[in-house]
Amino acid sequence: MEPVLMVECSVSRTAEEASVADVELNVVNSTFMLKMFYVFAALALFSVGLSVAGKWVGASIVMAGHTDDVTLREIVVGNNVIVAPANVIRFERQRINGVAPRLDLYFRWPQMDGYSPSTSVDFNNAGDRKNILFVSFEPAMMSRDMSGRFEPIYKSLIVEPSTAGPAGLVFHEFNESSGYLNEVLAVAERGAGMPPYVARCLSGPSAAESLAPCERDIHMGDALSLTYRFPQELLADWKQLDAAVIAKAEQMVKR
């Protein structure tokens, strides 16, 4: 009888081991399936995130640092409050209300408007012509603006003869010790009692490579200096350009 009992015990043990193995197999399968579920869920979330990020990056690339937001911002420079829509403020870090050491703007000429999807070609310099003006406000560091500096400073640094330019302008080269190498001075008379129109422009290869090789600064507001840079081609319209920049600035600057 003992051999029979031994066989029964062996059979019983084998069945028990098989049952345990089935349970372990089911646990392994369940764990594996759960892991696979997490993997596919993670892949799905990654795909969605990639799609959203792609759209965001794509939009950022298209905007290239510009914004079409026209919300008004109030920036305090010195004792002046400058109120400007966000889409004319050149740098993203400056598109916040508050105090700043300077403010940089840009405008499309002659409309004097800011960035929008319809003006992106101009602001990205993708068109055939240069027509963006770069304007900056900062506290005045000199007692005279560029027109006021002509007689006491610039006049002693230029050489004769001058060269005739458009719209009554004459171009003067600077002498070698002036510190203004590769620049010319554009000057035009503006009538009795008024200081001359004065702008400095790059010359030669430097001018050809620059989007805005000419610049002029004007005093306005409360000890505020406005400097604007512009394409040399716009010198032919210097009267209208100067008047438009000043008018736009006076709209934005509040003491």
Side-chain angles (χ1 to χ4, degrees):
M1 297 298 291
E2 291 180 2
V4 174
L5 290 174
M6 290 177 64
V7 171
E8 288 177 350
C9 290
S10 176
V11 171
S12 177
R13 188 178 296 113
T14 301
E16 182 179 349
E17 290 174 350
S19 177
V20 170
D22 289 340
V23 171
E24 290 178 345
L25 182 60
N26 289 334
V27 171
V28 170
N29 286 339
S30 298
T31 302
F32 176 76
M33 293 302 294
L34 187 59
K35 287 181 178 179
M36 290 301 296
F37 170 78
Y38 287 142
V39 168
F40 283 115
L43 287 173
L45 289 173
F46 177 75
S47 178
V48 171
L50 191 63
S51 175
V52 172
K55 291 179 180 178
W56 182 83
V57 171
S60 297
I61 292 173
V62 170
M63 297 298 282
H66 308 299
T67 182
D68 56 2
D69 180 12
V70 295
T71 303
L72 293 179
R73 306 298 185 192
E74 294 186 357
I75 295 89
V76 179
V77 179
N79 295 322
N80 306 271
V81 177
I82 303 170
V83 181
N87 70 329
V88 304
I89 299 177
R90 187 178 175 192
F91 301 115
E92 183 177 1
R93 67 179 183 275
Q94 295 181 337
R95 296 173 190 146
I96 55 175
N97 297 327
V99 179
R102 63 178 284 154
L103 179 63
D104 297 282
L105 312 176
Y106 50 2
F107 300 93
R108 182 178 59 138
W109 174 260
Q111 294 84 357
M112 297 301 290
D113 55 5
Y115 178 87
S116 68
S118 63
T119 64
S120 61
V121 170
D122 296 305
F123 281 89
N124 290 323
N125 191 36
D128 297 330
R129 66 191 188 112
K130 301 174 182 178
N131 63 339
I132 299 300
L133 313 179
F134 300 94
V135 178
S136 63
F137 291 100
E138 58 188 335
M141 302 300 292
M142 304 183 72
S143 60
R144 299 171 183 263
D145 60 18
M146 193 170 283
S147 289
R149 296 196 298 271
F150 179 72
E151 287 291 338
I153 299 176
Y154 292 132
K155 199 169 184 178
S156 63
L157 300 177
I158 57 178
V159 296
E160 298 292 349
S162 60
T163 303
L169 286 168
V170 292
F171 295 106
H172 297 275
E173 293 186 357
F174 287 96
N175 62 46
E176 293 182 356
S177 61
S178 66
Y180 296 109
L181 293 180
N182 300 319
E183 292 189 34
V184 296
L185 194 71
V187 182
E189 295 299 328
R190 295 195 294 179
M194 295 185 66
Y197 170 88
V198 179
R200 292 204 326 266
C201 297
L202 296 174
S203 60
S206 299
E209 295 170 1
S210 176
L211 293 176
C214 295
E215 76 169 40
R216 169 170 165 76
D217 65 66
I218 303 165
H219 281 182
M220 65 182 314
D222 186 353
L224 190 66
S225 177
L226 177 159
T227 299
Y228 69 93
R229 295 186 295 114
F230 56 95
Q232 191 165 357
E233 295 83 354
L234 298 186
L235 279 172
D237 297 321
W238 66 266
K239 292 180 182 179
Q240 295 86 344
L241 177 63
D242 207 51
V245 170
I246 293 173
K248 195 70 172 181
E250 287 178 343
Q251 290 177 5
M252 295 187 296
V253 175
K254 317 293 181 183
R255 296 192 185 186

